[in-house]
Structure formats: C-alpha cells, structure tokens
Amino acid sequence: RQANIGSADTCLASPPGCAFGFLYIIPSTPTFLFYPSRSRSIPLLLLHYFSPTYTLFVSSSSFFMAPPAAMEETAPTINLLSNINDGNNAASQISRVTVVGSGNWGSVAAKLIASNTLKLASFHDEVRMWVFEETLPIGQKLTEVINQTNENVKYLPGIKLGKNVVADPDLDNAVRDANMLVFVTPHQFMEGICKRLVGKLKEDVVAISLIKGMEVKMEGPHMISTLISEQLRVNCCVLMGANIANEIAVEKFSEATVGYRENREVAEKWVQLFSTPYFVVTPVQDVEGVELCGTLKNVVALAAGFVDGLEMGNNTKAAIMRIGLREMRAFSKLLFSSVKDSTFFESCGVADLITTCLGGRNRRVAEAFAKNGGKRSFDELEAEMLQGQKLQGVSTAREVYEVLRHRGWLQLFPLFATVHEISAGRLPPSAIVEYSEHKPNCSLVEGSAQYF
C-alpha cells in the first residue's frame, strides 16, 4: 500500500507462466493487488472468501479490497485505480442489471444478483426485475406488492429479495438503461419477448439465459441463447446447474455453470455477478453443451417421475437416469459437434440431472400423472400443483420428439421418444420401462457431422 499507487513498488510482478504471487491483508486496512490480465480468476476466487466483510473493486488489471469502515476515506483511491485502467474495458464500467422474468427461479436470480450489486463497485446498486403483471386475490397488483414488501408473494413467498430490487411491469422501461440482461422466463415466451425488445436496447448490452428449453423451427432446433443473440444482436451466455430455486433462496449451498463462446472476460463478469459464498459458479467454454444439459434433463426427470409414480423403486430410477444421461450426451453431440464430454461432469450436467430427478417440479408432476394412470392431463396437474409456474419437460419432450422424427433418429433415442408418447397420452406410464428392448446406437455420435 503506497500513496502513489502508480509506482513500480506497488506491483506484485509475476514471472511468465505464474498466475500470481501473494496477497497480504492487514485487518481494517485497504489492500491492493495488481495482476496480469490473464489472471482474472484471482479476484473471483478471493470474492468467495472476503465478500462478506470486505468491499471489492475489480478492474482490468487490478483488484482493490477494503473493509466497510475504510471505504469512505479510500474513495478517491478507488477512482484513481479506475482511471489508470483501460476505460473501455467492460469490467471497469458501471453496469446496470435487469432480470427479465419474475417466477420462482427469476426471483431467486434477482436475490442473488442484488446481494452482489450492493457490494461491487462495478455494478449499479439497483436491480430491475420485469414482472408479467397479475392481480392477486387480495386485489393488488403483483408489482405493487413486491415493491411494498420486498417479496414475490406469489412465486417465492417468505423470501426477501433485497431492497434494491425494483419490480417493473413495463418491459421497455425495465430494460431501458440496462447493459446486462438476465433472461429467465418460460422458453415458449422468449421469441415474443425478443421481438418486443428489438431496437430498444443499449449498444453495449450483454445477456445471459437461465432458460431451459429450445425452439423447434422448420430448419431444425434453435437454442434460446442463439435466439437471443440473433434477434437482439448481443453476446449471450447461459447459466445452468443443479439449482432447485427454493433451496438457493434459503441459501443452501449450490453450484452452477456459465457457458460462454469466445469472450471469457464477459463470462467472468457473469460469474462475479452471481457468485456468493453459498452459490458457486464456474465458467465453461461450451454454450450449446451447457444449455442442452439444462434443457434435456427435464425430459429425463419426467421419466424419473413416472418411475416414482408407479413405485418401481430406486434401482429402476437409477437405470433411467443413467440411460437418460447417455441419450442427453448422444443427442447433444449429434446436434453440435463442438459439445465437450467434460461439460456433462459440470454442475449443469450430471449434478443437475440428479437433483431434478430427485426433487424438481417436472419429476413431481410426472409422479402425479403416473399415479393417476395418465388419465389426468399435464395441463390440469400443472394448474393444480404449481400455482402458476410452468413445466418445461413436457414441451421440451415434444420439441425433442419433433427433431428426432424429422431427422429419422427415433430408434436411436427410445427413452426420449417414449417420454413424449406417454406425456401425449399415446402410451401408458408403465411403458417407460418397456422401451429398453431397443437400445440406442450411441456409436453414431462419433460420426455426428454427417447428420447436419
């Protein structure tokens, strides 16, 4: 710590190939670390351990930490630190965040983000949350109640979102000043939302999708991140993982995966925005792999729910989950040869599959469907059991089935095909264990390029 922070003796010089040297923290004293741009993971790692008691400031080549009591006297130093870095770097700008969506998971995402924007100087404190307006049984508008009580009483009751979360029923107004957009709505609504936003965003906007699902068009499957990128002309990452929203809301430990294409710095900014001591986020350069894991696991969760509803036991359920993971990998690699095998071992892969098959809403409603012998529709059960929340598995199973049918792959993916047939009422729930007479030929994945 020096009065002249631009002098050479304030830098911890790192030899080539060395990520960083050391960081010495003096209690109640501001601390600086200058590091090479290739080592941006350093402050993100430290953030997990020091954010509860230290205020942090990250720029393109340095990292500033100070206890709250020292922040006022060191404010000029923070400004100086910002000025000596590249002003055009995304990490050195103040970012405004809007969450597009306010359901169960959207509200939890807003809570996570709002806790970090208050701590991090590179983000504006306020977090806008677009709410599809509803009138509650008490006669009040949902947005009014959220802003009065700081709680989404319909989709996340009992959880305070953070006083810096502002609910807004006007989509145009909610995104007007934002340069970081978090999309978290049912996937079937996204095309309409994107059409409404065309031409209404700032030039420097980046986006991230927490949406699990895909659109199926005449030319083939269309991932939601691709839909966002193409229609809005923005960089769009994805965040998926073993994330049951209600457990994260009460701050139980969880993990997630951010999928990105080329720009790792943007991915790390998303990691910084979402990470908390109880929600650990890891970046992976595989958007399609991460997104398809989050999408396809809901189809397998329906199969797991059928097994539970028929009381077939844990052995059968484990077999369904394993075969489901195999079909997830095969389908993903047939569609996108760039998908990495390692992605399936991240939180977005096997971990998300396990938690969704054990406790997710798709499994729960599918269990009720099977217990009723398939005589009550998923639409009826969804309305009764989910209080306005939407299932993703049934629509995704239908969309996957359309891809398989169009490309002649139905015999290769009997689990996926059977889940849709059961959901559509063409087969009884017990058919979920009869499909295994026809094993998918996963060896075809190695030559997947020929199927494009």
Side-chain angles (χ1 to χ4, degrees), residues 138-297:
I138 59 175
Q140 280 188 286
K141 299 292 187 182
L142 179 57
T143 51
E144 295 174 357
V145 175
I146 292 174
N147 289 330
Q148 289 169 6
T149 66
N150 192 227
E151 181 180 326
N152 190 333
V153 293
K154 181 169 183 179
Y155 296 110
L156 195 66
I159 301 296
K160 296 300 181 182
L161 302 181
K163 294 181 179 179
N164 52 324
V165 174
V166 177
D168 192 333
D170 185 330
L171 179 60
D172 293 356
N173 187 64
V175 305
R176 181 171 292 121
D177 298 321
N179 50 12
M180 297 185 77
L181 296 179
V182 179
F183 289 99
V184 52
T185 69
H187 77 277
Q188 53 266 39
F189 301 147
M190 270 309 300
E191 188 164 13
I193 289 173
C194 285
K195 287 179 178 178
R196 291 175 60 183
L197 293 179
V198 171
K200 298 177 181 178
L201 304 180
K202 297 179 68 174
E203 292 184 0
D204 61 342
V205 166
V206 294
I208 193 166
S209 171
L210 280 61
I211 299 167
K212 297 171 179 179
M214 61 184 179
E215 296 283 337
V216 176
K217 300 181 180 294
M218 291 297 294
E219 62 272 20
H222 212 52
M223 305 311 299
I224 298 300
S225 64
T226 303
L227 175 74
I228 294 169
S229 295
E230 292 180 351
Q231 291 205 11
L232 302 181
R233 300 185 182 279
V234 299
N235 178 310
C236 187
C237 296
V238 296
L239 183 144
M240 307 283 160
N243 308 143
I244 293 178
N246 288 337
E247 295 182 7
I248 300 171
V250 295
E251 303 187 2
K252 293 182 178 180
F253 181 81
S254 183
E255 297 177 315
T257 308
V258 165
Y260 70 98
R261 287 192 169 84
E262 291 89 20
N263 194 329
R264 185 178 176 90
E265 187 167 357
V266 170
E268 286 177 339
K269 192 165 186 179
W270 288 118
V271 169
Q272 187 183 22
L273 184 64
F274 279 94
S275 294
T276 70
Y278 62 88
F279 191 72
V280 177
V281 185
T282 304
V284 171
Q285 192 173 10
D286 184 5
V287 169
E288 285 78 17
V290 172
E291 192 167 8
L292 277 165
C293 280
T295 297
L296 298 173
K297 55 92 180 185

Side-chain angles (χ1 to χ4, degrees), residues 372-393:
N372 285 279
K375 296 178 181 178
R376 297 184 66 192
S377 71
F378 271 101
D379 287 342
E380 182 184 355
L381 292 167
E382 177 188 82
E384 178 183 300
M385 299 176 66
L386 299 184
Q387 289 79 50
Q389 297 179 64
K390 294 293 183 182
L391 285 177
Q392 297 296 303

Side-chain angles (χ1 to χ4, degrees), residues 1 7 19 49 68 97 167 171 231 248 259 275 313 350 395 435 441 448:
R1 186 165 66 96
S7 63
Y49 296 99
V97 184
L171 179 60
Q231 291 205 11
I248 300 171
S275 294
V350 64
S395 57
Y435 87 98
N441 185 358
S448 60

Side-chain angles (χ1 to χ4, degrees), residues 92-110:
S92 64
Q93 298 174 355
I94 302 298
S95 297
R96 287 180 175 267
V97 184
T98 291
V99 178
V100 180
S102 58
N104 186 239
W105 184 210
S107 298
V108 173

